[in-house]
Amino acid sequence: MPTEREIKCERKAIYLDIICGIMSSALALTALAVAAISHRIFSMGWFAVSVTFWTAYLLFSFFLIGLGIYTWKMNKNFETNKAKKDLKAPIV
């Protein structure tokens, strides 16, 4: 049975996942906008590499946000004083 301290640590980890995901998304979207709007594209190769990198970074941030929300949903109805069920033998 987890203690209150362990539950608080889990919640902190969930919030950290969501906050890091949102910050990463904002950074990736800003970098994609700068790369796409920039009129000084000298090399198409470097432009393609940068857009690919920031798109992958954006997908990673969405993964972090999804992981945080999924874990939050899993722990939403977490009760510390939940009664255990009595086990019964199966009828054969």
Side-chain angles (χ1 to χ4, degrees), residues 1-2 4 7 78-84:
M1 176 103 0
E4 284 291 322
I7 294 171
F78 189 73
E79 296 179 11
T80 56
N81 299 329
K82 190 174 182 181
K84 294 183 180 179

Side-chain angles (χ1 to χ4, degrees), residues 5 8 16 21 27 36 48 57 62 88:
R5 185 175 181 189
K8 284 184 181 181
L16 180 70
L27 178 66
Y57 195 72
F62 287 154
K88 296 180 182 178

Side-chain angles (χ1 to χ4, degrees), residues 45-56:
W46 283 110
F47 175 74
V49 167
S50 68
V51 168
T52 303
F53 172 77
W54 288 112
T55 304

Side-chain angles (χ1 to χ4, degrees), residues 68-81:
I69 292 173
Y70 172 74
T71 342
W72 175 71
K73 289 273 189 188
M74 293 296 289
N75 292 330
K76 187 176 180 182
N77 297 323
F78 189 73
E79 296 179 11
T80 56
N81 299 329

